[in-house]
């Protein structure tokens, strides 16, 4: 147990340096590389979730007023699933993969051997502070690394809880938690890591990558963007609406990287859509959503101000068709729908990350594709339609981290799909085996023998060798034969 | 360079038009690439001879042949590579379909290197084309004849609206690096690698860095004496037989047991004579040192009297012709430059150890190299090398040839870089793997939506935990 004095010790560059050195020694000892170690850590993590479910739910409630269901399902259950999958498949993931060899290297055999990168840094976010800290950790552990976790300071209760629980359940010598804010993060970023995994926004993402560049450290950046939802006509509007609401306000009240940021639809759809949204929102959250217990609050006053500023911009405030109410004392903003906001308004320029949903109108639904592609690539893009051709066009022409047709955000829960961004929404991916891969180096191994050593490989070089070389490299048996007979 | 902004704008428009995404376009470019190397083989030999003094055999083996092989493989596989891959879906999310679809990043920058100026620009280019991107190719200015040749000839074969060659020096590189690329592929030194990645960070551009390092060769005395002649050939080939040691996968230094050293040196000297004749200076099979800067850098490595004292073979230089004789050193000080910097030249330090197994500690206490070569028959030792050292790759009982193996990813780790290519890995390195989930409206799960109650809570909890039995019990009213 740290004393008050110890807790207040500044975590500076020197401390960060010592920490990474310590972890390097532990990694060098080979401790984290055994199958047994990895399995034991993953099993402990499940145990930790089971034994402290209440504490986790409480912390998330403190940080975000997160409804119990969201905490249990979208944070704890998702994490446990990750652990369970990794435990089930780890042996297979750790096995070398045989690679084919060609005539060119005959006789030979080849394989690709996964190995841990070494000492990795995981920087987490505040919106799913439990899941986004531990899910990458699962990958790093499964791949056999030593690691530092830096939870977000904007979710302090969860950060504290992680700092307390991880040393109790996991191997404290190889898995460290460093709490803190900008200066602690900067101290960590000055160190040489074998990988940095960052979840957050593009501004800090750039800082992380630039810091990583100094040491040639590869990075995974899980960022965000404006994830659009295109709503076509001729669909079951009630179902679509409910899925949109569940994916937007039902996931941390819009404060999620894959949250539907804005909707694009046609004029005749828009009115019906707005009506349907209003109706379902009321069913879900009652007439007074500011008092609903099923909605997270806004994380802090900084974001609250940011969001109200988006709403209060002149050309935008009169576009509100539903909601708009706020409760500053409790950091709550009502689910709010806006229609036809100008494209150059603030709300359309930055990622909203909150309970505001603008709806943009286009004349033809296909125009939405160009609109989306004219902006930066989002983390997710959604389409609700029954039109097969539209689906195909959307999937091919809209570039995003991931695309979901006729639902919202579910691709996160499917471990056979890589989860990550592209362009401004990030680089790299994880979930399932992709997490293991993200924290591994795949080493290429070639086994050769001394049989049939070809003189043509070696100097002195001659034109005759050139003929033979060409024949071999085109792997054409007849050419080889002819060349050997001096005829090509 | 306003021309640059215009060029990029043109490339973006081309990409937006969708032209580079069709199978037909990609195949046409790959065919054109094959034609390009076939039609211009002699010219390529000529410019490689001019820039590097490369013999046609080396030029074919390491450059022309590699490019032709890559293009042929990509041509036959590109359609397969482009196809979406299906993924399993847990029952809980039924009905749905999940797949991963590769798509091009967009506008990519490929920066080539001077030592293999043809293959290290065109091989990545093949990957970028197969993946459907538009490309700016920046050959190294340090191999000017090749750079000119590429600038002049590529537009005659490849689609000039989608693939541009931009020549130039540091100032051009700086301007290029300020642009917003969708991917940068860089081959070169660690120092410039840092610059490239730092510039890329401004735009969150993903990068592949193919760098270098000090690639060691371990020689175990368990190796069959009958094979020693071949081993020596492979060692000499990997040091002096590929661009005179100026290659990322050249053997940088050797590790042998003390008792073996003089036998090895003797054998290497004999092999060098066999390959390059009595007077290597006159051999046409030995590449030249790139330029004055590199020559001076290598001379400096030999300057220190302690280093000079360690020279056991070769060591003569001719400043006028920038020639350095194939040189072997025995146990130069471990903290000397020659043992801390990547040599990239015709100098081979041999470090002796008491026990060859110490080579593992030696290597793992140093930055991770691009490749480790190990000549050994000891299966246990092989396993230890694999598990206790880290490198881009490991090749047992041979050298250099892993470069030609299309099914093995080629790339570094740690200071030797990150990312990889060759074969399908080239396609992958220039693709974004887009996750696609398709769901249906029917059936609809009522319990998904608020307002929450105990039943819904249990339902969703069990559903997301894939606890189907529990779910069934709940639905049958048998679970609380």
């Amino acid at each position: 147990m740290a004393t008050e004095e110890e807790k207040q010790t500044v975590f500076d560059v020197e401390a960060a340096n010592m920490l990474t050195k310590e972890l390097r020694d532990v990694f060098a000892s080979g401790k984290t590389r055994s199958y047994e170690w990895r399995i034991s850590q993953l099993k402990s993590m499940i145990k930790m979730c089971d034994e402290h479910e209440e504490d986790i739910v409480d912390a998330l409630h403190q940080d975000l007023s997160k409804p119990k269901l969201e905490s249990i399902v979208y944070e704890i259950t998702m994490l446990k699933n990750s652990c369970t999958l990794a435990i089930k498949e780890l042996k297979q993931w750790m096995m070398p993969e045989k690679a084919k060899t060609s005539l060119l290297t005959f006789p030979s055999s080849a394989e690709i051997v996964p190995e841990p990168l070494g000492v990795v840094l995981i920087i987490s976010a505040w919106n799913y502070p439990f899941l986004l800290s531990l899910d990458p950790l699962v990958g790093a552990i499964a791949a056999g690394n030593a690691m530092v976790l830096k939870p977000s300071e904007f979710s302090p209760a969860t950060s504290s809880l992680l700092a307390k629980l991880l040393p109790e359940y996991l191997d404290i010598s190889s898995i460290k938690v460093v709490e803190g804010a900008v200066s602690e993060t900067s101290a960590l970023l000055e160190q040489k890591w074998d990988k940095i995994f960052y979840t957050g926004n593009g501004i800090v993402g750039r800082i992380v990558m630039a810091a990583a560049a100094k040491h040639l450290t590869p990075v995974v950046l899980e960022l965000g963007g404006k994830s659009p939802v295109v709503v076509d006509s001729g669909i079951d509007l009630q179902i679509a609406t409910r899925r949109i609401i569940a994916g937007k306000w039902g996931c941390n009240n819009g404060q999620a990287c894959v949250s539907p940021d804005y909707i694009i639809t046609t004029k005749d759809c828009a009115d019906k859509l707005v009506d349907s949204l209003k109706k379902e929102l009321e069913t879900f959250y009652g007439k007074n959503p500011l008092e609903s217990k099923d909605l997270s609050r806004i994380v802090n006053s900084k974001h609250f101000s940011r969001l109200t500023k988006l709403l209060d911009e002149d050309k935008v405030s009169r576009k509100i068709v539903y909601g708009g109410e706020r409760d500053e004392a409790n950091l709550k903003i009502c689910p709010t729908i806006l229609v036809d906001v100008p494209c150059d308004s603030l709300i359309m320029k930055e990622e909203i990350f909150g309970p505001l949903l603008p709806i943009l109108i286009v004349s033809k639904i296909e125009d939405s594709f160009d609109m989306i592609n004219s902006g930066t690539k989002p983390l997710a893009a959604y389409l609700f339609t029954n039109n097969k051709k539209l689906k195909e066009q959307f999937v091919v022409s809209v570039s995003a981290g991931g695309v979901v047709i006729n639902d919202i955000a579910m691709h996160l829960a499917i471990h056979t799909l890589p989860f990550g961004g592209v362009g401004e929404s990030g680089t790299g991916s994880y979930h399932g085996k992709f997490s293991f891969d993200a924290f591994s180096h795949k080493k290429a191994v070639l086994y050769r023998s001394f049989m049939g050593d070809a003189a043509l490989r070696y100097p002195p070089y001659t034109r005759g060798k050139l003929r033979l070389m060409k024949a071999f490299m085109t792997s054409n048996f007849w050419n080889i034969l002819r060349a050997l007979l001096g005829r090509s | 360079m306003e021309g640059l902004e215009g060029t990029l704008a043109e490339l973006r428009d081309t990409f937006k038009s969708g032209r580079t995404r069709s199978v037909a376009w990609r195949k046409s470019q790959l065919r054109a690439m094959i034609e390009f190397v076939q039609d211009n083989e002699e010219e390529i030999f000529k410019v490689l001879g001019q820039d590097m003094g490369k013999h046609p055999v080396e030029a074919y083996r390491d450059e022309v042949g590699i490019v032709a092989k890559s293009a042929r493989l990509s041509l036959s596989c590109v359609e397969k590579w482009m196809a979406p891959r299906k993924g399993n879906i847990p029952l809980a999310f039924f009905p749905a379909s999940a797949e991963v679809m590769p798509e091009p990043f967009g506008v990519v920058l490929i920066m080539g290197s001077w030592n293999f100026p043809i293959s290290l620009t065109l091989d990545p280019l093949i990957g970028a084309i197969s993946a459907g991107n538009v490309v700016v190719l920046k050959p190294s200015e340090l191999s000017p004849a090749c750079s000119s040749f590429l600038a002049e000839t590529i537009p005659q074969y490849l689609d000039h609206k989608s693939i541009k060659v931009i020549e130039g020096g540091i100032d051009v590189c700086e301007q290029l690096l300020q642009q917003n690329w969708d991917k940068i592929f860089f081959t070169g030194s660690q120092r410039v690698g840092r610059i490239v990645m730092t510039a890329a960070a401004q735009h969150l551009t993903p990068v592949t860095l193919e760098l270098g390092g000090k690639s060691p060769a371990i020689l175990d005395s368990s190796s069959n004496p009958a094979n020693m002649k071949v081993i020596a050939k492979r060692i000499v080939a990997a040091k002096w037989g590929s661009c005179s040691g100026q290659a990322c996968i050249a053997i940088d230094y050797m590790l042998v047991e003390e008792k073996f050293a003089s036998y090895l040196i003797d054998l290497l000297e004999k092999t060098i004579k066999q390959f390059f004749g009595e007077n290597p200076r006159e051999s046409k099979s030995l590449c030249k040192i790139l330029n004055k800067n590199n020559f001076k850098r290598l001379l400096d490595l030999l300057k220190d009297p302690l280093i000079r004292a360690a020279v056991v073979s070769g060591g003569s230089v001719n400043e006028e012709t920038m020639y350095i004789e194939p040189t072997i050193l025995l146990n130069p000080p471990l903290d000397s430059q020659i043992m801390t910097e990547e040599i990239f030249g015709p100098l081979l330090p041999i470090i002796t150890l008491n026990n060859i197994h110490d080579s593992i500690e030696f290597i793992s206490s140093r930055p991770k190299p691009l490749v480790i070569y190990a000549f050994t028959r000891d299966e246990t030792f092989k396993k230890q090398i694999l598990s206790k050292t880290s490198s881009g790759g490991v090749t047992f009982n041979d050298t250099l040839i892993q470069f030609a193996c299309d099914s093995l990813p080629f790339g570094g780790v740690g200071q030797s870089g990150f990312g990889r290519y060759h074969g399908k890995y080239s396609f992958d390195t220039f693709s974004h793997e887009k996750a696609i989930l398709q769901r249906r409206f029917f059936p609809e799960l009522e319990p998904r939506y608020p307002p929450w109650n105990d039943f819904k809570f249990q339902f969703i909890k069990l559903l997301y935990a894939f606890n189907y039995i529990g779910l069934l019990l709940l639905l049958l009213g048998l679970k609380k």
Side-chain angles (χ1 to χ4, degrees):
Chain A
M1 269 305 224
T3 62
E4 271 318 314
E5 205 182 279
E6 279 171 284
K7 273 190 200 154
Q8 270 153 34
T9 312
V10 168
F11 184 83
D12 57 8
V13 174
E14 204 186 304
N17 200 283
M18 281 177 51
L19 186 69
T20 46
K21 185 167 179 315
E22 192 190 321
L23 286 169
R24 281 205 185 285
D25 289 339
V26 172
F27 180 73
S29 75
K31 179 178 194 178
T32 62
R33 303 187 65 152
S34 74
Y35 174 77
E36 291 73 27
W37 180 87
R38 306 182 202 196
I39 294 287
S40 75
Q41 298 306 292
L42 295 169
K43 286 189 172 156
S44 284
M45 209 183 284
I46 296 180
K47 195 157 166 250
M48 179 182 84
C49 290
D50 288 338
E51 290 177 0
H52 289 271
E53 192 178 90
E54 286 294 322
D55 295 327
I56 298 165
V57 169
D58 279 342
L60 290 167
H61 195 264
Q62 265 187 271
D63 284 332
L64 294 152
S65 300
K66 197 169 272 206
K68 186 170 179 188
L69 182 141
E70 285 189 44
S71 297
I72 295 206
V73 178
Y74 301 140
E75 299 240 23
I76 299 174
T77 305
M78 295 274 282
L79 179 71
K80 281 166 63 175
N81 284 354
S82 270
C83 293
T84 309
L85 181 78
I87 290 170
K88 180 163 162 255
E89 310 216 334
L90 188 60
K91 258 213 169 82
Q92 220 182 333
W93 293 352
M94 284 172 71
M95 275 174 45
E97 186 194 319
K98 284 241 163 282
K100 275 203 313 217
T101 53
S102 70
L103 195 61
L104 214 54
T105 56
F106 182 82
S108 65
S109 67
E111 60 182 11
I112 299 165
V113 178
E115 59 179 30
L117 286 163
V119 181
V120 306
L121 173 64
I122 294 167
I123 302 176
S124 176
W126 54 258
N127 56 340
Y128 285 80
F130 185 76
L131 181 69
L132 298 180
S133 298
L134 299 186
D135 208 0
L137 217 74
V138 168
I141 289 172
N145 298 278
M147 61 210 76
V148 170
L149 169 66
K150 163 67 187 71
S152 172
E153 66 273 27
F154 298 116
S155 44
T158 310
S159 176
S160 267
L161 185 65
L162 289 171
K164 173 169 166 285
L165 289 182
L166 257 54
E168 279 175 35
Y169 284 84
L170 302 183
D171 172 12
I172 196 179
S173 69
S174 343
I175 302 169
K176 309 274 188 193
V177 181
V178 172
E179 291 194 85
V182 175
S183 60
E184 287 78 7
T185 309
S186 303
L188 287 168
L189 285 174
E190 287 212 18
Q191 308 311 312
K192 178 177 178 314
W193 303 96
D194 297 305
K195 184 102 184 196
I196 300 178
F197 187 107
Y198 168 77
T199 307
N201 66 63
I203 296 173
V204 180
R206 283 169 168 79
I207 296 172
V208 170
M209 189 168 166
K214 295 203 182 83
H215 299 287
L216 295 169
T217 299
V219 300
V220 171
L221 303 175
E222 295 273 331
L223 311 177
K226 292 183 79 61
S227 298
V229 184
V230 177
V231 178
D232 192 15
S233 53
I235 57 167
D236 186 326
L237 207 54
Q238 191 197 28
I239 294 181
T241 310
R242 291 162 127 203
R243 292 179 181 184
I244 291 171
I245 297 175
K248 173 97 177 175
W249 295 281
C251 288
N252 213 24
N253 210 4
Q255 299 166 107
C257 49
V258 288
S259 188
D261 190 275
Y262 65 103
I263 292 183
I264 311 178
T265 190
T266 49
K267 185 86 189 80
D268 32 277
C269 263
D271 296 332
K272 289 187 235 143
L273 179 61
V274 171
D275 285 340
S276 182
L277 282 166
K278 287 181 183 175
K279 177 166 175 289
E280 297 302 328
L281 276 167
E282 201 174 298
T283 312
F284 285 17
Y285 304 116
K287 283 198 193 310
N288 232 335
L290 286 176
E291 282 160 32
S292 169
K293 293 228 173 346
D294 293 336
L295 285 169
S296 298
R297 67 159 204 267
I298 308 304
V299 66
N300 56 32
S301 47
K302 174 169 155 244
H303 279 276
F304 183 88
S305 300
R306 182 183 65 79
L307 288 163
T308 50
K309 194 161 154 233
L310 296 183
L311 276 183
D312 294 343
E313 195 184 5
D314 263 336
K315 47 191 168 179
V316 163
S317 52
R318 42 200 153 89
K319 302 289 187 176
I320 298 175
V321 299
Y322 179 86
E325 292 92 35
R326 52 207 86 164
D327 171 2
E328 189 163 358
N330 291 307
L331 294 176
K332 294 204 170 187
I333 299 178
C334 212
T336 301
I337 303 171
L338 309 93
V339 177
D340 206 23
V341 297
C343 287
D344 61 350
S345 53
L346 283 174
I347 203 174
M348 282 312 295
K349 289 228 199 96
E350 53 176 79
E351 184 177 4
I352 294 170
F353 226 70
L356 323 176
L357 183 65
I359 299 177
L360 300 183
I361 316 273
V362 289
S363 20
K364 309 200 311 294
I365 201 67
E366 288 84 357
D367 294 344
S368 60
F369 301 1
D370 279 339
M371 193 183 257
I372 298 170
N373 285 334
S374 71
T376 58
K377 299 177 186 183
L379 187 54
Y382 305 106
L383 170 66
F384 285 89
T385 186
N386 280 321
N387 183 334
K388 187 160 183 268
K389 191 146 171 285
L390 196 71
K391 275 188 216 178
E392 281 167 12
Q393 265 183 296
F394 189 75
V395 158
V396 168
S397 53
V398 172
S399 184
V403 169
V404 183
I405 309 287
N406 294 334
D407 214 324
I408 303 281
M410 291 208 117
H411 58 311
L412 267 102
I414 296 178
H415 68 265
T416 49
L417 287 175
F419 180 70
V422 64
E424 285 284 327
S425 51
T427 177
S429 61
Y430 72 130
H431 286 184
K433 182 170 189 284
F434 301 100
S435 293
F436 175 86
D437 293 344
F439 288 100
S440 299
H441 167 55
K442 300 295 179 82
K443 187 155 72 178
V445 183
L446 184 67
Y447 298 89
R448 288 266 299 161
S449 71
F450 299 103
M451 277 168 32
D453 189 45
L456 65 99
R457 288 174 66 178
Y458 307 116
Y461 299 131
T462 62
R463 280 272 165 180
K465 284 186 178 176
L466 178 62
R467 273 198 307 275
L468 265 173
M469 180 71 70
K470 277 192 194 180
F472 261 113
M473 289 190 76
T474 52
S475 287
N476 184 318
F477 183 69
W478 295 115
N479 280 345
I480 295 172
L481 198 57
R482 285 162 71 206
L484 284 169
L485 296 172
R487 277 205 202 148
S488 80
Chain B
M1 199 183 182
E2 335 78 48
L4 180 57
E5 315 256 315
T7 303
L8 281 183
E10 189 191 335
L11 286 171
R12 283 202 188 285
D13 287 340
T14 305
F15 183 72
K16 233 170 118 183
S17 74
R19 177 203 185 101
T20 62
R21 306 197 55 164
S22 69
V23 181
W25 180 87
R26 303 183 203 200
K27 284 188 165 179
S28 77
Q29 297 305 289
L30 293 168
R31 275 188 215 107
M33 186 77 82
I34 296 172
E35 264 175 54
F36 168 79
V37 290
Q38 281 175 349
D39 290 352
N40 294 285
E41 192 178 278
E42 287 299 325
E43 184 62 26
I44 294 176
F45 289 161
K46 177 159 156 249
V47 291
L48 284 168
Q50 269 180 266
D51 280 337
M52 298 300 312
K54 219 171 256 209
H55 188 280
V57 170
E58 243 192 84
Y60 190 87
R61 185 194 70 198
D62 298 344
E63 308 243 27
V64 175
I66 295 281
V67 174
K69 177 175 70 66
S70 270
R72 272 192 307 267
L73 178 75
S74 301
L75 183 60
S76 67
C77 294
V78 66
E79 228 168 323
K80 190 174 55 157
W81 294 343
M82 282 168 71
R85 289 187 325 267
K86 286 223 168 288
N88 282 338
I89 300 211
L91 191 61
F93 300 113
F94 180 83
S97 77
E99 58 185 21
V100 178
M101 171 189 274
E103 63 175 26
F105 279 118
V107 185
V108 310
L109 171 65
I110 295 172
M111 301 175 78
S113 177
W114 52 262
N115 52 347
F116 296 87
I118 303 294
S119 56
L120 295 184
T121 40
L122 299 186
D123 205 0
L125 181 63
I126 287 168
I129 289 173
S130 314
N133 298 276
V134 297
V135 188
V136 167
L137 201 61
K138 164 71 186 67
S140 170
E141 71 278 16
L142 298 175
S143 44
C146 290
S147 177
S148 272
F149 163 74
L150 288 172
E152 260 172 55
T153 325
I154 291 273
Q156 295 169 25
Y157 286 80
L158 300 184
D159 173 12
H160 63 93
K161 278 203 159 50
S162 328
I163 300 159
K164 309 268 183 200
V165 182
I166 296 185
E167 291 193 86
I170 294 182
D171 52 331
V172 169
C173 285
E174 276 173 5
Q175 286 178 45
L176 285 170
L177 287 175
Q178 279 171 24
Q179 308 308 314
N180 185 356
W181 302 96
D182 297 307
K183 170 93 188 195
I184 299 177
F185 186 104
F186 170 78
T187 306
S189 70
Q190 291 171 11
R191 186 187 65 86
V192 182
R194 288 189 176 84
I195 295 172
V196 170
M197 189 173 170
T198 305
Q202 298 314 301
H203 299 288
L204 294 170
T205 299
V207 299
T208 292
L209 301 177
E210 295 274 332
L211 311 177
K214 292 182 78 61
S215 296
I218 301 170
L219 177 53
D220 182 3
S221 47
S222 79
S223 303
N224 190 338
N227 292 325
M228 275 312 296
K229 279 216 177 93
V230 175
I231 292 177
K233 283 185 177 178
R234 293 178 179 182
I235 292 172
V236 172
K239 184 62 162 186
W240 297 283
S242 188
C243 218
S244 235
Q246 299 164 111
C248 51
I249 47 173
I251 293 178
D252 189 276
Y253 66 98
M254 290 209 58
L255 293 164
V256 295
E257 272 174 10
E258 224 176 303
K259 54 188 189 222
F260 221 40
S262 53
Y263 169 59
L264 174 66
I265 292 167
D266 197 55
L267 196 52
L268 290 176
E269 280 182 322
K270 286 202 171 77
T271 313
I272 291 171
K273 273 208 179 69
Q274 203 188 336
F275 284 7
F276 306 115
E278 286 295 330
N279 206 346
R281 195 192 330 177
E282 283 155 29
S283 169
K284 293 216 174 355
S285 300
L286 198 59
C287 280
K288 55 185 190 193
I289 306 301
L290 174 75
N291 57 22
K292 259 204 168 59
N293 274 345
N294 256 29
F295 180 75
K296 190 165 177 307
R297 182 184 63 79
L298 290 164
L299 274 196
D300 282 349
L301 293 180
L302 291 174
K303 234 177 17 197
D304 190 312
L306 279 177
I307 306 290
R308 282 236 70 94
V311 173
V312 294
S313 179
S316 70
V317 303
N318 182 318
E319 296 218 27
E320 237 178 81
T321 56
M322 292 195 302
Y323 167 76
I324 300 177
E325 190 185 354
T327 299
I328 302 174
L329 303 94
L330 183 61
N331 287 324
L334 293 179
D335 59 354
S336 57
Q337 253 186 305
I338 205 175
M339 281 311 296
T340 50
E341 273 177 30
E342 186 175 6
I343 295 169
F344 229 68
L347 319 173
L348 178 67
I350 295 177
I351 307 292
T352 59
L353 305 164
N354 285 331
N355 185 322
I356 199 60
H357 289 82
D358 295 341
S359 56
I360 290 180
E361 167 64 30
F362 190 97
I363 295 170
S364 55
S365 61
R366 288 170 168 73
K368 301 176 185 182
L370 188 51
V371 60
I372 295 174
Y373 297 111
F375 292 92
T376 178
R377 282 189 304 175
D378 184 345
E379 294 300 324
T380 311
F381 188 39
K382 284 187 196 175
K383 287 199 172 72
Q384 284 179 328
I385 291 172
L386 282 182
S387 64
K388 293 201 188 328
T389 65
S390 181
S391 54
V394 179
T395 298
F396 290 108
N397 294 323
D398 207 336
T399 56
L400 304 182
I401 200 165
Q402 73 278 8
F403 197 77
C405 187
D406 278 327
S407 58
L408 282 178
F410 181 76
V413 66
Q415 300 294 295
S416 50
F418 55 81
R420 57 215 189 147
Y421 72 129
H422 285 185
K424 181 174 188 284
Y425 299 103
S426 293
F427 175 89
D428 292 343
T429 232
F430 287 100
S431 301
H432 163 55
E433 305 229 296
K434 188 161 70 182
I436 300 168
L437 178 65
Q438 302 217 30
R439 293 260 301 157
R440 300 213 198 127
F441 287 100
F442 177 81
E444 175 68 322
L445 283 178
E446 284 302 319
R448 281 180 68 174
Y449 308 115
W452 307 126
N453 56 39
D454 271 338
F455 173 81
K456 285 187 183 181
F457 193 155
Q458 285 301 321
F459 185 92
I460 297 193
K461 196 173 167 184
L462 292 164
L463 187 74
Y464 269 79
F466 309 134
N467 186 340
Y468 303 117
I469 297 182
L471 212 49
L472 191 60
L473 293 173
L474 179 74
L475 290 169
L476 292 174
L478 295 171
K479 197 173 171 66
K480 220 177 68 109

